[in-house]
Amino acid sequence: MKEKLVTGRQKQMRKTAPSQYPGKTITVKAGTKAAVSLAEKNGIGKIIIRENASAEITEVASTEGRGATSDTPPNAIHFELGKNARLEYWRMGTESKARRLFVIGEGAAAFTTVASFNGGALELEARLAGKKAKMAHRSAFFGKNGEQFSFTTKVFHEAENTESSLLTKGALGGKATASNESEVRISKNAGGSSSALREKDIQLDEGVASTSTPAMFIENSTSSATHGATVSKIAEESLFYIRTRGVGLEEAERLVLEGFFAEIADSMPEGLRKEFWEKIGGMAGVKNGC
Amino acid sequence: MKAPVGKYRYGFHDTQPQAFGTKRGLDESTVIEISKIKGEPKWMLKKRLEALAIFQKRPFPKWGPDLSEIDFQGLQYYSSPSAEKTGSWDEVPQKVKETFERLGIPEAERKFLAGVGVQYDSEMLYHSLQKDLEKKGVIFTDMDTGLKKYGGIVRKHFGTLVPASDNKFAALNTAVWSGGTFMYVPKSVRVEVPLQAYFRINTKAMGQFERTLIIADEGSDVHYVEGCSAPIYSKDSLHAAVVEIFAMQGSRVQYTTIQNWSENVYNLVTKRAKAEKGATVFWLDGNIGSKTTIKYPCIILAGEGARGEVVSVSFAGSNQNQDTGAKMIHLAPNTSSMVSARSISKSGGIASYRGLVHVSKKAKGAKARVECHGLIMDKRSVSNTIPKIKSENKETEVSHEASVSKLDEEKLFYLQTRGLATQRARQLMVQGFVEPFVKQLPMEYAVELNRLIDLELEGEVG
């Protein structure tokens, strides 16, 4: 795998990366399949998925991180995908401070889905280091009661014909706040690459605040990148349509939110999806912070 | 006069001697000297000195283009070719007159402008305004005259939208400002044809720091156009302007800039407008020239139903860094804003869109839309998009969309099958790309901009 790093900042990142991910290493051997369940406190620092191997990793974050301060080291895991490896990763997070790094080799693909509740901070970084490496990331968050979310998502296209797609959907009620910083960089060496970033936030109540910075840095003319971001209240037309079918307001709002989050929930395995909908359903009645 | 250098046809300079210039470098004595030349009131000198202290203390921005090569002590902060300002073109010094004639300003004035101001280095040398507008109470003059004749209005507004503490270069401008436009349009007066100011740097390693204040009173309507150019020298010049626009209730202000500085000019400007109830501010911002531009026109939507729009285009060629964008601050209910930004980067140029949409708690029913599109013409060039959206109100609709891509090969092929040479087809496609900007320009400027784009793409092999 030929890696060319472009910026000084990236070099710095690479140099410091290993020390930021302390803990045990799990290896999925070449050509094998594995399914792994993780909890935040199990001390895993690195997961290696060798050539032609595939892994399904489910992580249900505990509430151990509750009350984490800026001094608390984040729960950090470094994923390394060898040639043509495949990773499906689902994370259901509660309040915590977490960092996830994905280094994706030639022809390898990472499909990641993150659902966040109760606030917290998540730093996610993907390095598409080998030719034709792929990353598809979906993130959903639902905030209430003054909860604070902070998401930093960075994708570095470092090799030719790499692809990334990022989708974030969030709903905020009850004075919750969210900060979403995304960064996509396509380096000079990443000809033929493409990136698409979409972000949609729904604001359910007065007093919520949402900040997003979907940045793109493109250094290659044979690549293309798009992004779109919207912030709005819940779609009134949809609410009206459902209510004309005899559905009450609260139920109508829940249904609209279900529709809103469906494209993220659909990528989850069944057990996790059920848990996700339970949380959304339970939270749809949280309007006005009650 | 020397012949134009390369493709940049405004790169010539003339040999007009300076009537007066400060010594190179900047300290308190420079600021005191500028203020003394202008015979200013004490409050302005006090503001200048306070601003100088801010400039000296404030570090360079940690983001954006590299500014470390600016030699502040090597610059000349004030240079004047003539001691007199005039309302008669005949009284302008001959060499200066030749320069502006070569730039086409008198011709434009005759053909399609209601008034013209021309600034040469630090001073506005000439101002004219159609008589009927004068009778209606429109004031269109240079900022120094504005301060002398309308001191009360200037004192009330100066630095209230862009205080010296806003950023390092706003502080520098406040400390050493000279020239610029002072404009007041009375209540319900509609200025049907544009008023134009043209800024020219002639002296080598010069700093031009014009200060513009525009007040459009209730229900008025005005279109202000600004053009600029400079000679090509081996040493860099600095242009750090500050523009403050007050659009009162129900007024409409259009501000059009075609920035075409030569590629040895750092263009670091702060431009801000405040729109009161029902007012509209429309900003057309074209950035073609300069070595480095940092410019994010900002509209503060302060009154209910105020509307702001920025349509911009930037062109980053070899050794150029265009860091441009727009800021929309929604502070009142039912305000709306629209940003449409397009950039082209080629021959190693860097074009960045950097913007902010902020919808505050009080801006119920606000709507904001941002569209930015970048075109990269070759493998050496860079296109960045760094938008920020901050929404603190539930009853809002904010959307942002952006794309970066190369010229569409299918469309290029289609044009070629119609018999167009590759270069002409590429020029046409780039012209189509900047069409949303060009179609808003007065015809004469639209023609000039298309010509500039053709020139920039000349000899391009793709």
Side-chain angles (χ1 to χ4, degrees):
Chain A
M1 190 167 63
K2 190 180 176 187
E3 290 180 25
K4 283 186 183 174
L5 295 173
V6 186
T7 63
R9 212 170 56 76
Q10 280 175 306
K11 279 178 193 162
Q12 179 68 20
M13 179 199 78
R14 194 185 184 203
K15 216 183 279 175
T16 57
S19 62
Q20 293 173 351
Y21 302 90
K24 290 182 284 188
T25 300
I26 295 176
T27 304
V28 181
K29 288 181 185 166
T32 63
K33 283 184 180 179
V36 182
S37 273
L38 298 175
E40 274 200 16
K41 273 293 181 183
N42 62 5
I44 302 297
K46 187 167 186 180
I47 296 175
I48 301 171
I49 305 157
R50 300 271 188 219
E51 275 188 31
N52 299 313
S54 73
E56 291 184 357
I57 296 175
T58 311
E59 183 185 352
V60 178
S62 69
T63 54
E64 295 286 340
R66 193 171 282 274
T69 65
S70 56
D71 302 329
T72 317
N75 157 286
I77 304 177
H78 173 183
F79 295 82
E80 191 181 295
L81 279 71
K83 193 173 178 182
N84 297 326
R86 181 184 166 92
L87 166 69
E88 298 237 23
Y89 169 76
W90 302 280
R91 180 176 195 269
M92 185 83 83
T94 58
E95 184 173 317
S96 62
K97 194 162 117 183
R99 180 183 295 144
R100 299 290 177 265
L101 169 67
F102 300 86
V103 179
I104 305 166
E106 186 178 338
F111 300 90
T112 59
T113 305
V114 171
S116 308
F117 301 92
N118 306 100
L122 175 65
E123 290 172 28
L124 190 141
E125 189 167 310
R127 285 178 48 211
L128 300 165
K131 285 179 186 173
K132 294 188 177 176
K134 248 185 218 179
M135 167 82 174
H137 176 65
R138 294 163 193 234
S139 166
F141 63 92
F142 197 160
K144 61 182 195 318
N145 294 337
E147 291 159 356
Q148 296 179 350
F149 292 89
S150 166
F151 299 100
T152 309
T153 309
K154 296 180 180 177
V155 178
F156 300 105
H157 290 253
E158 296 169 0
E160 286 172 13
N161 301 316
T162 48
E163 274 178 51
S164 69
S165 122
L166 305 174
L167 170 67
T168 300
K169 286 195 156 190
L172 295 173
K175 298 193 174 168
T177 62
S179 158
N180 238 308
E181 290 200 13
S182 316
E183 181 179 323
V184 173
R185 282 183 186 266
I186 300 183
S187 79
K188 285 201 191 307
N189 305 317
S193 296
S194 68
S195 169
L197 185 157
R198 268 196 304 146
E199 189 181 326
K200 285 188 173 190
D201 289 357
I202 288 184
Q203 298 188 330
L204 298 167
D205 291 320
E206 296 299 342
V208 299
S210 140
T211 307
S212 59
T213 314
M216 303 191 290
F217 301 89
I218 315 299
E219 297 175 0
N220 195 299
S221 69
T222 56
S223 298
S224 69
T226 61
H227 69 212
T230 60
V231 183
S232 63
K233 60 180 177 177
I234 200 161
E236 280 188 355
E237 278 177 26
S238 308
L239 276 182
F240 178 77
Y241 177 83
I242 297 169
R243 293 194 69 195
T244 59
R245 267 64 187 160
V247 178
L249 178 63
E250 202 170 296
E251 177 64 4
E253 282 184 344
R254 194 185 62 76
L255 286 171
V256 171
L257 282 178
E258 271 192 24
F260 178 69
F261 283 117
E263 63 180 317
I264 291 183
D266 286 352
S267 64
M268 296 177 182
E270 201 177 332
L272 210 60
R273 191 188 314 148
K274 197 176 160 208
E275 195 180 329
F276 177 79
W277 284 129
E278 276 169 11
K279 280 184 185 288
I280 296 283
M283 295 174 88
V286 300
K287 273 181 62 63
N288 304 315
C290 56
Chain B
M1 275 185 244
K2 288 185 180 172
V5 182
K7 285 186 217 165
Y8 184 72
R9 71 169 180 175
Y10 308 121
F12 60 89
H13 70 276
D14 63 49
T15 50
Q16 171 69 27
Q18 280 184 5
F20 185 78
T22 51
K23 66 177 192 306
R24 290 194 181 272
L26 176 65
D27 56 24
E28 272 199 9
S29 69
T30 324
V31 172
I32 292 167
E33 198 176 359
I34 292 171
S35 184
K36 198 175 163 191
I37 294 163
K38 294 175 178 296
E40 285 176 351
K42 277 186 188 158
W43 68 265
M44 183 56 83
L45 176 61
K46 189 166 171 267
K47 259 191 195 294
R48 284 181 185 274
L49 291 172
E50 285 166 0
L52 178 69
I54 294 170
F55 168 72
Q56 287 167 336
K57 273 187 209 151
R58 189 69 62 92
F60 281 102
K62 288 186 179 135
W63 43 269
D66 178 22
L67 304 173
S68 59
E69 284 181 14
I70 302 176
D71 176 12
F72 287 101
Q73 291 309 322
L75 290 175
Q76 188 174 27
Y77 286 80
Y78 180 86
S79 160
S80 174
S82 166
E84 298 297 325
K85 295 179 185 72
T86 177
S88 162
W89 188 244
D90 294 335
E91 289 168 26
V92 173
Q94 187 57 31
K95 298 268 188 206
V96 177
K97 207 157 61 179
E98 281 170 14
T99 291
F100 283 109
E101 266 160 15
R102 210 165 155 186
L103 295 169
I105 307 303
E107 192 189 352
E109 182 188 356
R110 279 192 301 274
K111 280 187 181 166
F112 62 95
L113 296 170
V116 161
V118 293
Q119 175 153 347
Y120 187 91
D121 287 344
S122 301
E123 289 293 352
M124 274 270 173
L125 296 181
Y126 167 76
H127 252 96
S128 74
L129 179 68
Q130 283 177 357
K131 292 284 173 222
D132 61 321
L133 290 175
E134 246 175 53
K135 279 182 198 157
K136 285 180 184 168
V138 175
I139 302 166
F140 179 60
T141 185
D142 63 279
M143 191 63 186
D144 300 276
T145 306
L147 179 60
K148 279 198 182 88
K149 281 176 129 176
Y150 313 100
I153 303 178
V154 173
R155 193 169 185 178
K156 189 179 164 193
H157 294 90
F158 188 97
T160 57
L161 267 186
V162 183
S165 56
D166 191 84
N167 64 71
K168 188 174 177 73
F169 297 97
L172 177 63
N173 174 283
T174 310
V176 295
W177 73 267
S178 179
T181 298
F182 174 74
M183 178 157 68
Y184 171 77
V185 185
K187 276 185 187 174
S188 306
V189 170
R190 297 174 67 83
V191 182
E192 304 284 350
V193 275
L195 295 162
Q196 186 188 349
Y198 196 92
F199 298 90
R200 175 78 179 170
I201 295 176
N202 187 63
T203 302
K204 188 176 178 178
M206 171 73 205
Q208 190 178 65
F209 307 97
E210 91 267 9
R211 183 98 191 185
T212 289
L213 177 60
I214 295 173
I215 303 161
D217 216 330
E218 291 177 15
S220 64
D221 190 331
V222 68
H223 181 186
Y224 175 77
V225 185
E226 180 185 77
C228 41
S229 64
I232 295 172
Y233 289 118
S234 55
K235 285 199 84 175
D236 295 334
S237 287
L238 170 64
H239 174 251
V242 167
V243 173
E244 294 173 290
I245 301 170
F246 295 83
M248 304 308 209
Q249 189 173 332
S251 65
R252 183 184 186 279
V253 179
Q254 179 171 342
Y255 193 104
T256 301
T257 307
I258 308 287
Q259 178 269 106
N260 190 20
W261 293 115
S262 56
E263 286 165 21
N264 55 308
V265 175
Y266 282 92
N267 181 42
L268 316 172
V269 298
T270 311
K271 300 189 170 190
R272 200 163 292 164
K274 186 178 179 190
E276 301 292 354
K277 190 176 176 183
T280 299
V281 176
F282 181 33
W283 216 301
L284 267 178
D285 192 41
N287 294 290
I288 310 295
S290 84
K291 175 179 187 171
T292 295
T293 284
I294 297 183
K295 184 201 314 183
Y296 321 108
C298 170
I299 304 176
I300 299 169
L301 300 154
E304 184 162 3
R307 190 168 173 276
E309 187 168 346
V310 174
V311 178
S312 71
V313 64
S314 61
F315 198 107
S318 174
N319 298 317
Q320 281 185 286
N321 192 336
Q322 304 278 13
D323 207 284
T324 61
K327 292 183 189 176
M328 294 290 184
I329 316 288
H330 293 254
L331 298 180
N334 302 317
T335 44
S336 60
S337 69
M338 168 80 196
V339 177
S340 169
R342 297 191 172 221
S343 71
I344 299 150
S345 32
K346 71 175 276 276
S347 309
I350 302 170
S352 303
Y353 172 85
R354 204 182 291 270
L356 169 69
V357 171
H358 182 184
V359 180
S360 77
K361 284 182 182 150
K362 289 179 181 171
K364 192 177 175 183
K367 288 184 178 162
R369 176 155 183 77
V370 179
E371 284 175 17
C372 42
H373 300 289
L375 193 58
I376 307 188
M377 302 293 288
D378 54 54
K379 287 184 179 174
R380 290 184 293 146
S381 306
V382 173
S383 179
N384 301 324
T385 314
I386 311 142
K388 185 169 184 173
I389 301 167
K390 188 173 180 184
S391 172
E392 297 173 326
N393 197 297
K394 172 197 163 195
E395 300 288 327
T396 57
E397 279 176 38
V398 184
S399 67
H400 172 93
E401 78 173 57
S403 68
V404 177
S405 59
K406 59 178 177 174
L407 282 180
D408 188 327
E409 280 179 3
E410 276 181 28
K411 288 179 187 162
L412 198 62
F413 177 73
Y414 176 85
L415 288 172
Q416 285 170 321
T417 61
R418 265 55 189 165
L420 289 173
T422 308
Q423 184 177 305
R424 186 64 199 136
R426 288 170 74 87
Q427 283 171 339
L428 267 185
M429 285 182 68
V430 172
Q431 282 181 7
F433 179 72
V434 299
E435 178 70 13
F437 177 83
V438 173
K439 74 180 182 194
Q440 302 281 356
L441 288 171
M443 176 58 79
E444 290 73 7
Y445 293 90
V447 170
E448 176 67 6
L449 194 80
N450 278 335
R451 196 193 60 79
L452 279 173
I453 288 167
D454 283 354
L455 267 178
E456 289 289 345
L457 295 175
E458 226 166 57
E460 231 241 324
V461 286

PDB file of all heavy atoms in Angstrom, chain A residues 84-103:
ATOM      1  N   ASN A  84      -8.791  -4.863   0.611  1.00  0.00           N
ATOM      2  CA  ASN A  84     -10.103  -5.472   0.346  1.00  0.00           C
ATOM      3  C   ASN A  84     -10.859  -5.930   1.595  1.00  0.00           C
ATOM      4  O   ASN A  84     -11.762  -6.760   1.503  1.00  0.00           O
ATOM      5  CB  ASN A  84      -9.992  -6.647  -0.634  1.00  0.00           C
ATOM      6  CG  ASN A  84      -9.493  -6.186  -1.985  1.00  0.00           C
ATOM      7  OD1 ASN A  84      -9.811  -5.067  -2.408  1.00  0.00           O
ATOM      8  ND2 ASN A  84      -8.685  -6.993  -2.639  1.00  0.00           N
ATOM      9  N   ALA A  85     -10.491  -5.434   2.744  1.00  0.00           N
ATOM     10  CA  ALA A  85     -11.229  -5.783   3.973  1.00  0.00           C
ATOM     11  C   ALA A  85     -12.540  -5.002   3.999  1.00  0.00           C
ATOM     12  O   ALA A  85     -12.719  -4.022   3.268  1.00  0.00           O
ATOM     13  CB  ALA A  85     -10.389  -5.444   5.193  1.00  0.00           C
ATOM     14  N   ARG A  86     -13.452  -5.484   4.856  1.00  0.00           N
ATOM     15  CA  ARG A  86     -14.753  -4.825   4.935  1.00  0.00           C
ATOM     16  C   ARG A  86     -15.149  -4.719   6.404  1.00  0.00           C
ATOM     17  O   ARG A  86     -15.010  -5.673   7.163  1.00  0.00           O
ATOM     18  CB  ARG A  86     -15.765  -5.675   4.167  1.00  0.00           C
ATOM     19  CG  ARG A  86     -17.158  -5.103   4.138  1.00  0.00           C
ATOM     20  CD  ARG A  86     -18.090  -6.087   3.440  1.00  0.00           C
ATOM     21  NE  ARG A  86     -19.472  -5.700   3.698  1.00  0.00           N
ATOM     22  CZ  ARG A  86     -20.179  -4.906   2.907  1.00  0.00           C
ATOM     23  NH1 ARG A  86     -19.652  -4.436   1.809  1.00  0.00           N
ATOM     24  NH2 ARG A  86     -21.417  -4.590   3.212  1.00  0.00           N
ATOM     25  N   LEU A  87     -15.638  -3.571   6.764  1.00  0.00           N
ATOM     26  CA  LEU A  87     -16.065  -3.374   8.152  1.00  0.00           C
ATOM     27  C   LEU A  87     -17.477  -2.803   8.179  1.00  0.00           C
ATOM     28  O   LEU A  87     -17.787  -1.856   7.461  1.00  0.00           O
ATOM     29  CB  LEU A  87     -15.117  -2.379   8.853  1.00  0.00           C
ATOM     30  CG  LEU A  87     -15.613  -1.803  10.191  1.00  0.00           C
ATOM     31  CD1 LEU A  87     -15.641  -2.890  11.282  1.00  0.00           C
ATOM     32  CD2 LEU A  87     -14.727  -0.647  10.657  1.00  0.00           C
ATOM     33  N   GLU A  88     -18.299  -3.417   9.005  1.00  0.00           N
ATOM     34  CA  GLU A  88     -19.597  -2.804   9.312  1.00  0.00           C
ATOM     35  C   GLU A  88     -19.548  -2.483  10.799  1.00  0.00           C
ATOM     36  O   GLU A  88     -19.291  -3.370  11.621  1.00  0.00           O
ATOM     37  CB  GLU A  88     -20.743  -3.774   9.019  1.00  0.00           C
ATOM     38  CG  GLU A  88     -20.814  -4.157   7.564  1.00  0.00           C
ATOM     39  CD  GLU A  88     -22.153  -3.837   6.931  1.00  0.00           C
ATOM     40  OE1 GLU A  88     -22.852  -2.953   7.466  1.00  0.00           O
ATOM     41  OE2 GLU A  88     -22.480  -4.470   5.923  1.00  0.00           O
ATOM     42  N   TYR A  89     -19.748  -1.236  11.135  1.00  0.00           N
ATOM     43  CA  TYR A  89     -19.588  -0.812  12.529  1.00  0.00           C
ATOM     44  C   TYR A  89     -20.806  -0.003  12.948  1.00  0.00           C
ATOM     45  O   TYR A  89     -21.216   0.933  12.255  1.00  0.00           O
ATOM     46  CB  TYR A  89     -18.320   0.046  12.625  1.00  0.00           C
ATOM     47  CG  TYR A  89     -18.132   0.771  13.931  1.00  0.00           C
ATOM     48  CD1 TYR A  89     -17.715   0.099  15.078  1.00  0.00           C
ATOM     49  CD2 TYR A  89     -18.343   2.152  14.018  1.00  0.00           C
ATOM     50  CE1 TYR A  89     -17.533   0.780  16.274  1.00  0.00           C
ATOM     51  CE2 TYR A  89     -18.161   2.837  15.207  1.00  0.00           C
ATOM     52  CZ  TYR A  89     -17.764   2.146  16.335  1.00  0.00           C
ATOM     53  OH  TYR A  89     -17.579   2.825  17.506  1.00  0.00           O
ATOM     54  N   TRP A  90     -21.409  -0.443  14.056  1.00  0.00           N
ATOM     55  CA  TRP A  90     -22.570   0.297  14.568  1.00  0.00           C
ATOM     56  C   TRP A  90     -22.277   0.720  15.993  1.00  0.00           C
ATOM     57  O   TRP A  90     -21.800  -0.084  16.802  1.00  0.00           O
ATOM     58  CB  TRP A  90     -23.826  -0.582  14.565  1.00  0.00           C
ATOM     59  CG  TRP A  90     -24.163  -1.099  13.194  1.00  0.00           C
ATOM     60  CD1 TRP A  90     -24.791  -0.428  12.201  1.00  0.00           C
ATOM     61  CD2 TRP A  90     -23.884  -2.397  12.676  1.00  0.00           C
ATOM     62  NE1 TRP A  90     -24.924  -1.218  11.084  1.00  0.00           N
ATOM     63  CE2 TRP A  90     -24.379  -2.429  11.349  1.00  0.00           C
ATOM     64  CE3 TRP A  90     -23.259  -3.547  13.181  1.00  0.00           C
ATOM     65  CZ2 TRP A  90     -24.274  -3.554  10.546  1.00  0.00           C
ATOM     66  CZ3 TRP A  90     -23.161  -4.663  12.386  1.00  0.00           C
ATOM     67  CH2 TRP A  90     -23.662  -4.656  11.072  1.00  0.00           C
ATOM     68  N   ARG A  91     -22.588   1.946  16.295  1.00  0.00           N
ATOM     69  CA  ARG A  91     -22.349   2.412  17.655  1.00  0.00           C
ATOM     70  C   ARG A  91     -23.590   3.125  18.163  1.00  0.00           C
ATOM     71  O   ARG A  91     -24.089   4.066  17.540  1.00  0.00           O
ATOM     72  CB  ARG A  91     -21.169   3.381  17.681  1.00  0.00           C
ATOM     73  CG  ARG A  91     -20.849   3.909  19.058  1.00  0.00           C
ATOM     74  CD  ARG A  91     -19.600   4.783  19.010  1.00  0.00           C
ATOM     75  NE  ARG A  91     -19.092   5.001  20.343  1.00  0.00           N
ATOM     76  CZ  ARG A  91     -19.434   6.022  21.125  1.00  0.00           C
ATOM     77  NH1 ARG A  91     -20.305   6.925  20.692  1.00  0.00           N
ATOM     78  NH2 ARG A  91     -18.923   6.148  22.326  1.00  0.00           N
ATOM     79  N   MET A  92     -24.088   2.633  19.282  1.00  0.00           N
ATOM     80  CA  MET A  92     -25.201   3.322  19.930  1.00  0.00           C
ATOM     81  C   MET A  92     -24.595   4.002  21.145  1.00  0.00           C
ATOM     82  O   MET A  92     -24.151   3.341  22.083  1.00  0.00           O
ATOM     83  CB  MET A  92     -26.270   2.298  20.338  1.00  0.00           C
ATOM     84  CG  MET A  92     -27.513   2.903  20.910  1.00  0.00           C
ATOM     85  SD  MET A  92     -28.639   3.441  19.618  1.00  0.00           S
ATOM     86  CE  MET A  92     -29.434   1.891  19.259  1.00  0.00           C
ATOM     87  N   GLY A  93     -24.518   5.321  21.106  1.00  0.00           N
ATOM     88  CA  GLY A  93     -23.785   6.012  22.171  1.00  0.00           C
ATOM     89  C   GLY A  93     -24.685   6.718  23.145  1.00  0.00           C
ATOM     90  O   GLY A  93     -25.743   7.216  22.775  1.00  0.00           O
ATOM     91  N   THR A  94     -24.283   6.754  24.377  1.00  0.00           N
ATOM     92  CA  THR A  94     -24.916   7.649  25.335  1.00  0.00           C
ATOM     93  C   THR A  94     -23.892   8.717  25.647  1.00  0.00           C
ATOM     94  O   THR A  94     -22.923   8.876  24.920  1.00  0.00           O
ATOM     95  CB  THR A  94     -25.332   6.894  26.604  1.00  0.00           C
ATOM     96  OG1 THR A  94     -24.163   6.298  27.137  1.00  0.00           O
ATOM     97  CG2 THR A  94     -26.372   5.851  26.291  1.00  0.00           C
ATOM     98  N   GLU A  95     -24.080   9.428  26.731  1.00  0.00           N
ATOM     99  CA  GLU A  95     -23.151  10.522  27.014  1.00  0.00           C
ATOM    100  C   GLU A  95     -21.746   9.982  27.228  1.00  0.00           C
ATOM    101  O   GLU A  95     -21.512   9.127  28.054  1.00  0.00           O
ATOM    102  CB  GLU A  95     -23.592  11.280  28.258  1.00  0.00           C
ATOM    103  CG  GLU A  95     -22.714  12.466  28.529  1.00  0.00           C
ATOM    104  CD  GLU A  95     -23.256  13.289  29.662  1.00  0.00           C
ATOM    105  OE1 GLU A  95     -24.472  13.505  29.697  1.00  0.00           O
ATOM    106  OE2 GLU A  95     -22.460  13.706  30.496  1.00  0.00           O
ATOM    107  N   SER A  96     -20.802  10.481  26.459  1.00  0.00           N
ATOM    108  CA  SER A  96     -19.435   9.984  26.570  1.00  0.00           C
ATOM    109  C   SER A  96     -18.511  10.867  25.746  1.00  0.00           C
ATOM    110  O   SER A  96     -18.944  11.792  25.079  1.00  0.00           O
ATOM    111  CB  SER A  96     -19.352   8.556  26.045  1.00  0.00           C
ATOM    112  OG  SER A  96     -19.700   8.546  24.689  1.00  0.00           O
ATOM    113  N   LYS A  97     -17.253  10.560  25.835  1.00  0.00           N
ATOM    114  CA  LYS A  97     -16.292  11.283  25.010  1.00  0.00           C
ATOM    115  C   LYS A  97     -15.520  10.200  24.271  1.00  0.00           C
ATOM    116  O   LYS A  97     -14.853   9.376  24.916  1.00  0.00           O
ATOM    117  CB  LYS A  97     -15.381  12.076  25.938  1.00  0.00           C
ATOM    118  CG  LYS A  97     -14.560  13.118  25.253  1.00  0.00           C
ATOM    119  CD  LYS A  97     -14.051  14.100  26.295  1.00  0.00           C
ATOM    120  CE  LYS A  97     -12.557  14.072  26.365  1.00  0.00           C
ATOM    121  NZ  LYS A  97     -12.006  14.949  27.388  1.00  0.00           N
ATOM    122  N   ALA A  98     -15.633  10.153  22.976  1.00  0.00           N
ATOM    123  CA  ALA A  98     -15.048   9.035  22.251  1.00  0.00           C
ATOM    124  C   ALA A  98     -14.317   9.494  21.006  1.00  0.00           C
ATOM    125  O   ALA A  98     -14.628  10.535  20.433  1.00  0.00           O
ATOM    126  CB  ALA A  98     -16.147   8.049  21.865  1.00  0.00           C
ATOM    127  N   ARG A  99     -13.324   8.697  20.615  1.00  0.00           N
ATOM    128  CA  ARG A  99     -12.583   8.993  19.378  1.00  0.00           C
ATOM    129  C   ARG A  99     -12.453   7.695  18.582  1.00  0.00           C
ATOM    130  O   ARG A  99     -12.131   6.643  19.142  1.00  0.00           O
ATOM    131  CB  ARG A  99     -11.194   9.523  19.732  1.00  0.00           C
ATOM    132  CG  ARG A  99     -10.363   9.858  18.501  1.00  0.00           C
ATOM    133  CD  ARG A  99      -8.972  10.312  18.855  1.00  0.00           C
ATOM    134  NE  ARG A  99      -8.992  11.573  19.584  1.00  0.00           N
ATOM    135  CZ  ARG A  99      -8.144  11.883  20.562  1.00  0.00           C
ATOM    136  NH1 ARG A  99      -7.240  11.014  20.949  1.00  0.00           N
ATOM    137  NH2 ARG A  99      -8.210  13.047  21.160  1.00  0.00           N
ATOM    138  N   ARG A 100     -12.729   7.773  17.324  1.00  0.00           N
ATOM    139  CA  ARG A 100     -12.616   6.593  16.463  1.00  0.00           C
ATOM    140  C   ARG A 100     -11.819   6.973  15.218  1.00  0.00           C
ATOM    141  O   ARG A 100     -12.143   7.957  14.547  1.00  0.00           O
ATOM    142  CB  ARG A 100     -14.002   6.095  16.014  1.00  0.00           C
ATOM    143  CG  ARG A 100     -14.915   5.661  17.172  1.00  0.00           C
ATOM    144  CD  ARG A 100     -14.411   4.369  17.816  1.00  0.00           C
ATOM    145  NE  ARG A 100     -15.222   3.979  18.959  1.00  0.00           N
ATOM    146  CZ  ARG A 100     -14.941   4.289  20.236  1.00  0.00           C
ATOM    147  NH1 ARG A 100     -13.875   5.010  20.520  1.00  0.00           N
ATOM    148  NH2 ARG A 100     -15.715   3.860  21.215  1.00  0.00           N
ATOM    149  N   LEU A 101     -10.774   6.168  14.945  1.00  0.00           N
ATOM    150  CA  LEU A 101      -9.956   6.408  13.746  1.00  0.00           C
ATOM    151  C   LEU A 101     -10.078   5.196  12.830  1.00  0.00           C
ATOM    152  O   LEU A 101      -9.945   4.064  13.282  1.00  0.00           O
ATOM    153  CB  LEU A 101      -8.489   6.620  14.147  1.00  0.00           C
ATOM    154  CG  LEU A 101      -7.467   6.625  13.002  1.00  0.00           C
ATOM    155  CD1 LEU A 101      -7.648   7.835  12.099  1.00  0.00           C
ATOM    156  CD2 LEU A 101      -6.038   6.600  13.556  1.00  0.00           C
ATOM    157  N   PHE A 102     -10.325   5.432  11.565  1.00  0.00           N
ATOM    158  CA  PHE A 102     -10.416   4.355  10.588  1.00  0.00           C
ATOM    159  C   PHE A 102      -9.341   4.596   9.532  1.00  0.00           C
ATOM    160  O   PHE A 102      -9.376   5.622   8.844  1.00  0.00           O
ATOM    161  CB  PHE A 102     -11.795   4.338   9.913  1.00  0.00           C
ATOM    162  CG  PHE A 102     -12.928   4.143  10.890  1.00  0.00           C
ATOM    163  CD1 PHE A 102     -13.490   5.238  11.546  1.00  0.00           C
ATOM    164  CD2 PHE A 102     -13.418   2.875  11.173  1.00  0.00           C
ATOM    165  CE1 PHE A 102     -14.515   5.070  12.454  1.00  0.00           C
ATOM    166  CE2 PHE A 102     -14.458   2.693  12.085  1.00  0.00           C
ATOM    167  CZ  PHE A 102     -15.006   3.802  12.739  1.00  0.00           C
ATOM    168  N   VAL A 103      -8.398   3.664   9.428  1.00  0.00           N
ATOM    169  CA  VAL A 103      -7.399   3.763   8.362  1.00  0.00           C
ATOM    170  C   VAL A 103      -7.728   2.661   7.361  1.00  0.00           C
ATOM    171  O   VAL A 103      -7.690   1.474   7.702  1.00  0.00           O
ATOM    172  CB  VAL A 103      -5.967   3.635   8.918  1.00  0.00           C
ATOM    173  CG1 VAL A 103      -4.946   3.730   7.775  1.00  0.00           C
ATOM    174  CG2 VAL A 103      -5.701   4.718   9.953  1.00  0.00           C
TER     175      VAL A 103
END
